[in-house]
Amino acid sequence: MDEVTQDVENLKKEWSQTVSQLEGSIAAIESCGKTGKGTEEANSLPRLNGSAQDALQLLKSLQFRLDLLAQQLPTFEEVQSGQATLESWDEQYKKLRASLRNANLQAKENIRKAAQEERELLLGGGEESTIRRRNLQTKAGMTSAAESITDSLRRSRQMMVQEVERSASTLATFDESTSVLRKAEGEYQGHRSLLMRTRGLLSTMQRQDVLDRIILTVGFILFSLAVLYVVSRRIGLLTLQRKLADAIRSGSLSAEDIVAKAQRGAPAANVPSPAPPIYDEL
């Protein structure tokens, strides 16, 4: 069984015991004054009411604790059952509170009647009346002392109940904070792994960027050299063509000589140019 479920079951048992105790206190309050001892029972009425109020406070504390635990149950069905139990407890609490109020009204009426009968008996005179007055005075003193001690104990118990409620609320807050911290830790671990992968990808991209720059630089240099080579060759050919054209134009070299030299593979510059034709002026 889950720990929270076990706590809920313990709360239900404690609720049943407290309700039984409260019902006994209500029955005792309602019967006050019926035995004919109005003064004695009137002195004990505050003690009974204090016990009943303590029981009501405890029931209220149990409701608060069940409300906290119902939200932490493992399954949805158990949560719904806990909420239904909480609603039934609230209805039962209201009924017990109304029963306590009615019992106090009935006790006051009984005590009033019993006190009136005692007053009539005391005013009747005689030895029995004198003895009864002395007994009442002695019992009244003892009852007053007992009531004072009971009130002190009741106040102490009420303070302890309040401290227990405050401690339960603090523990519930700590549990919620712990769950939130655990979720935050899990998210942090997930983000940390993602950051590590991102860092690795960035390092790979940086290395690839450097490699691409090197390749681009080398390619650009090779391309520039090729362009320079082509341009230089082109300029050389153009210069040669211009020289040949000038030579042909000046008549120092004929086209047949150029073809013959090209076929022999000898440079045209080393072949002696033919003598210019001599025309007879005569």
Side-chain angles (χ1 to χ4, degrees):
M1 183 180 293
D2 188 71
E3 183 178 356
V4 178
T5 306
Q6 184 63 41
D7 292 339
V8 171
E9 293 297 326
N10 294 334
L11 285 180
K12 290 180 180 179
K13 292 179 182 179
E14 189 173 358
W15 174 273
S16 300
Q17 295 175 357
T18 307
V19 167
S20 300
Q21 179 183 354
L22 180 57
E23 288 176 348
S25 298
I26 291 174
I29 291 172
E30 189 175 4
S31 63
C32 278
K34 291 183 178 181
T35 59
K37 299 179 181 180
T39 304
E40 297 177 7
E41 294 179 345
N43 292 330
S44 64
L45 184 61
R47 177 179 57 81
L48 295 174
N49 272 299
S51 178
Q53 290 295 331
D54 290 341
L56 287 175
Q57 289 289 337
L58 182 56
L59 293 179
K60 201 67 177 176
S61 174
L62 293 176
Q63 284 181 328
F64 177 75
R65 290 164 60 186
L66 179 62
D67 189 19
L68 292 176
L69 293 175
Q71 305 298 328
Q72 304 176 17
L73 290 170
T75 62
F76 178 76
E77 290 77 10
E78 291 180 349
V79 172
Q80 293 294 324
S81 176
Q83 294 292 338
T85 303
L86 187 62
E87 292 177 0
S88 65
W89 281 11
D90 188 59
E91 293 294 330
Q92 191 175 8
Y93 177 83
K94 292 178 180 178
K95 290 180 181 179
L96 290 171
R97 195 175 184 86
S99 299
L100 179 61
R101 183 170 57 253
N102 295 331
N104 273 291
L105 293 175
Q106 183 64 39
K108 289 179 180 179
E109 182 65 22
N110 295 336
I111 289 172
R112 187 185 64 79
K113 292 180 180 180
Q116 185 176 1
E117 292 177 359
E118 288 181 358
R119 186 164 52 253
E120 292 176 356
L121 181 61
L122 291 173
L123 293 175
E127 184 178 357
E128 183 180 356
S129 299
T130 302
I131 295 173
R132 189 173 182 81
R133 279 197 298 271
R134 291 176 180 174
N135 291 335
L136 287 175
Q137 291 175 355
T138 303
K139 291 180 180 180
M142 295 175 62
T143 304
S144 177
E147 290 295 333
S148 178
I149 296 173
T150 303
D151 289 339
S152 299
L153 293 174
R154 182 172 59 84
R155 286 193 297 270
S156 300
R157 187 176 184 276
Q158 188 174 2
M159 291 177 62
M160 292 177 66
V161 170
Q162 292 176 355
E163 289 296 328
V164 169
E165 292 177 356
R166 191 177 295 109
S167 300
S169 177
T170 304
L171 289 175
T173 305
F174 283 157
D175 291 337
E176 294 177 359
S177 301
T178 302
S179 62
V180 171
L181 289 174
R182 287 176 180 173
K183 291 180 181 178
E185 184 181 2
E187 293 179 357
Y188 172 75
Q189 293 293 335
H191 289 309
R192 184 179 180 183
S193 61
L194 180 61
L195 289 174
M196 293 296 292
R197 289 195 297 269
T198 305
R199 184 179 299 175
L201 290 175
L202 287 175
S203 300
T204 303
M205 292 176 65
Q206 288 177 354
R207 290 193 297 269
Q208 188 66 34
D209 181 65
V210 173
L211 182 61
D212 291 341
R213 290 185 180 185
I214 294 173
I215 292 174
L216 288 174
T217 303
V218 173
F220 179 76
I221 293 173
L222 293 176
F223 176 75
S224 300
L225 292 175
V227 170
L228 290 174
Y229 175 77
V230 171
V231 170
S232 63
R233 293 289 296 176
R234 184 65 177 172
I235 291 173
L237 290 175
L238 289 174
T239 304
L240 181 60
Q241 289 177 359
R242 190 179 296 111
K243 290 180 179 181
L244 290 174
D246 293 340
I248 294 172
R249 193 179 298 113
S250 63
S252 61
L253 188 64
S254 64
E256 290 78 2
D257 294 334
I258 296 173
V259 172
K261 291 176 181 180
Q263 290 178 353
R264 289 195 303 268
N270 296 328
V271 178
S273 60
I278 301 174
Y279 299 98
D280 190 3
E281 293 181 354
L282 297 176

